[in-house]
Amino acid sequence: MSSLLITNIRQLVNVREHTSVLRGRELADLPCIDNAYLLIEEDTIAGYGRMEDLPASNQQPATVVDAIGAFVVPAWCDSHTHIVFAASREEEFVDKIRGMSYADIAAKGGGILNSARKLHDTSEEELFNQAWKRLEEVSRLGTGAIEIKSGYGLTVEAELKMLRVIKKLQEKSPLSIKATFLGAHTYPSEYKNNHQGYIDSIIQDMLPVIARDKLADYIDVFCEEGFFSPAETETICRAGMAHGLKPKIHANQLHLSGGTQVGVQLGAISVDHLETMDEAAIQALAHSNTIGTLLPTAAFFLRMPFQPARTLIDAGCAIALASDFNPGSSPSGNMNLVVAMSCIQMKMLPQEAINAATLNGAYAMELGQELGSITVGKKANLIITKPIPSLAYYPYAFGANLIDKVMIKGEWL
Ligand code: NIG
Ligand code: FE
């Protein structure tokens, strides 16, 4: 058996014997070991402790790496992305700088429909190659597990094409990948005046094939004014659930959409975005097992108020952080920036942000028993930092690349 010993770790971060999802005050507790070692066997964490307690039997593994004072952090678990897309949309970015609104751009055929048009004209192979490059990019930035959504297809064929690309990424990539069916991202133009027709197509034409070919783990709906109502969200999610897909919902992004409450009622794994929350939505989330996934780079890019992380945590919610990497509202999958932004703009403590981007992110993909912390038996997905003076320096020095090396399932990238 190949084994690897990492020695002289200045601080081993998020070390836990057992794990469960963290809510409220628990998020501020980030257990760490100073001056530590970490033992990895094959692709799995096999032991850890203080350097002075390193057992003699562990002192001659196949390979020893001296961390020379680096911090070792579990790799990021990014539980909300849309990285399968055909083209970037920087022309809309410039239109917005010139004063056009999201609604103006949508009326011009921009936004999600723009991405859907481009995706129709792009081959499966080309989509795979582009998404592969994005996966490589985010893994170098420390992401070891990722959720990827469809939703730029909006026809039976194109949605299936996207999901087949995600399946191929799952087969070929060392990252842990979860697939989410987001056919209900917006109404395609053909169904502009026939919403029920598109919902019928999702339920009757798309879902049975997705379930038969095991193309998705989750079902998502953009529950938002002008997109899908809470009632429509419930209908679509229940149809998905009948095929074994659990809900993860786009909720409360632009308006008080009711998405949080629908998600909670359905027992969703997560409700995501949450820029626009009121007391009813906060209380519903706080008293549920649903994770609230905050996407601060989307709020930043759309120049919206940031998610009320402090209020949510103080109310006792379970909070995860994710990148929302997509061409329209967050053209970046950099989880280091997500963590920094959540500390700077949402007043999350560095400990809270790291827990939310690792362990709770893993739970938001139902990977909490395999990833997201330094726990014996979990996969060895690690970020080794450059020399830094303290853990708080990591989000403080935002924008700097503080990653020295990344390990995915026991292998250095
Ligand atoms: O999560 N809010 C809905 N969907 C994406 C953005 C989609 C797009 O503009 O392409 C999001 O922000
Ligand atoms: Fe999204």
Side-chain angles (χ1 to χ4, degrees):
M1 197 190 308
S2 76
S3 65
L4 170 77
L5 180 67
I6 307 178
T7 58
N8 298 316
I9 299 166
R10 162 103 180 252
Q11 199 168 58
L12 184 60
V13 177
N14 213 352
V15 186
R16 296 168 186 273
E17 220 174 302
H18 306 286
T19 62
S20 56
V21 70
L22 304 169
R23 52 175 55 252
R25 278 189 202 155
E26 295 166 346
L27 275 155
D29 178 27
L30 184 70
C32 298
I33 301 179
D34 291 339
N35 192 23
Y37 72 88
L38 177 65
L39 181 68
I40 294 150
E41 275 166 9
E42 304 288 350
D43 60 355
T44 301
I45 294 168
Y48 55 76
R50 292 180 61 84
M51 276 307 287
E52 62 257 37
D53 300 330
L54 182 60
S57 61
N58 275 342
Q59 278 165 6
Q60 252 102 45
T63 319
V64 180
V65 172
D66 188 336
I68 333 174
F71 287 62
V72 174
V73 185
W76 308 125
C77 297
D78 188 354
S79 62
H80 180 137
T81 81
H82 311 244
I83 64 159
V84 177
F85 57 87
S88 54
R89 298 199 329 240
E90 62 275 20
E91 64 291 346
E92 293 176 12
F93 166 69
V94 175
D95 282 344
K96 275 188 214 153
I97 292 171
R98 292 189 197 280
M100 280 176 82
S101 71
Y102 197 79
D104 297 336
I105 288 168
K108 236 180 76 177
I112 298 166
L113 291 177
N114 182 359
S115 283
R117 246 186 335 270
K118 286 173 175 158
L119 188 127
H120 273 246
D121 301 335
T122 305
S123 72
E124 205 163 313
E125 196 188 348
E126 168 64 15
L127 285 173
F128 174 85
N129 291 338
Q130 286 196 33
W132 183 261
K133 284 201 192 107
R134 291 177 198 121
L135 264 190
E136 285 191 321
E137 181 197 334
V138 297
S139 62
R140 281 193 298 271
L141 293 166
T143 295
I146 192 166
E147 179 260 18
I148 310 173
K149 299 173 195 296
S150 71
Y152 291 125
L154 309 178
T155 64
V156 180
E157 206 22 69
E159 281 295 309
L160 293 174
K161 175 165 79 172
M162 287 190 78
L163 290 167
R164 285 194 301 267
V165 169
I166 300 172
K167 189 169 196 169
K168 202 161 148 202
L169 295 169
Q170 284 171 326
E171 287 162 3
K172 305 228 161 163
S173 168
L175 275 73
S176 303
I177 298 175
K178 291 280 184 157
T180 299
F181 170 52
L182 175 58
H185 200 183
T186 189
Y187 290 98
S189 342
E190 316 79 279
Y191 288 100
K192 208 170 140 195
N193 299 311
N194 177 17
H195 286 190
Q196 193 54 46
Y198 185 56
I199 293 172
D200 290 345
S201 173
I202 288 176
I203 295 175
Q204 288 156 24
D205 307 331
M206 301 185 196
L207 274 171
V209 185
I210 291 165
R212 185 198 66 200
D213 296 347
K214 296 195 175 15
L215 290 173
D217 304 291
Y218 303 114
I219 181 144
D220 193 346
V221 177
F222 187 22
C223 184
E224 181 56 60
E225 278 180 27
F227 292 81
F228 294 83
S229 70
E232 291 166 341
T233 302
E234 176 168 353
T235 302
I236 295 162
C237 286
R238 287 209 187 276
M241 290 161 80
H243 287 289
L245 307 184
K246 295 179 189 168
K248 275 170 78 68
I249 298 176
H250 277 76
N252 294 58
Q253 181 186 11
L254 309 172
H255 299 93
L256 288 171
S257 63
T260 298
Q261 285 92 328
V262 178
V264 164
Q265 277 159 27
L266 291 168
I269 300 292
S270 66
V271 288
D272 303 26
H273 270 291
L274 313 188
E275 283 87 334
T276 316
M277 296 291 273
D278 63 0
E279 192 55 23
I282 293 167
Q283 288 307 323
L285 185 60
H287 294 98
S288 74
N289 290 323
T290 298
I291 294 171
T293 299
L294 312 183
L295 312 169
T297 48
F300 169 71
F301 189 80
L302 297 181
R303 303 186 184 89
M304 287 188 63
F306 284 87
Q307 292 83 359
R310 264 293 31 104
T311 314
L312 294 169
I313 293 171
D314 294 344
C317 297
I319 294 302
L321 287 167
S323 76
D324 198 17
F325 194 173
N326 77 76
S329 65
S330 180
S332 162
N334 187 337
M335 286 293 287
N336 309 286
L337 188 59
V338 169
V339 166
M341 213 174 269
S342 69
C343 297
I344 297 163
Q345 292 288 349
M346 310 200 297
K347 295 195 171 167
M348 287 176 75
L349 293 166
Q351 292 89 334
E352 292 173 326
I354 290 168
N355 273 323
T358 56
L359 191 56
N360 276 9
Y363 278 103
M365 294 184 272
E366 295 182 292
L367 293 171
Q369 293 307 315
E370 299 164 47
L371 292 171
S373 64
I374 306 296
T375 301
V376 171
K378 286 198 183 185
K379 296 288 173 230
N381 280 14
L382 309 170
I383 293 169
I384 320 290
T385 70
K386 292 178 183 164
I388 51 175
S390 70
L391 194 58
Y393 185 87
Y394 200 94
Y396 156 85
F398 76 94
N401 180 3
L402 298 173
I403 297 181
D404 178 25
K405 287 200 277 282
V406 177
M407 174 181 280
I408 305 290
K409 296 189 179 141
E411 303 277 350
W412 299 112
L413 282 192

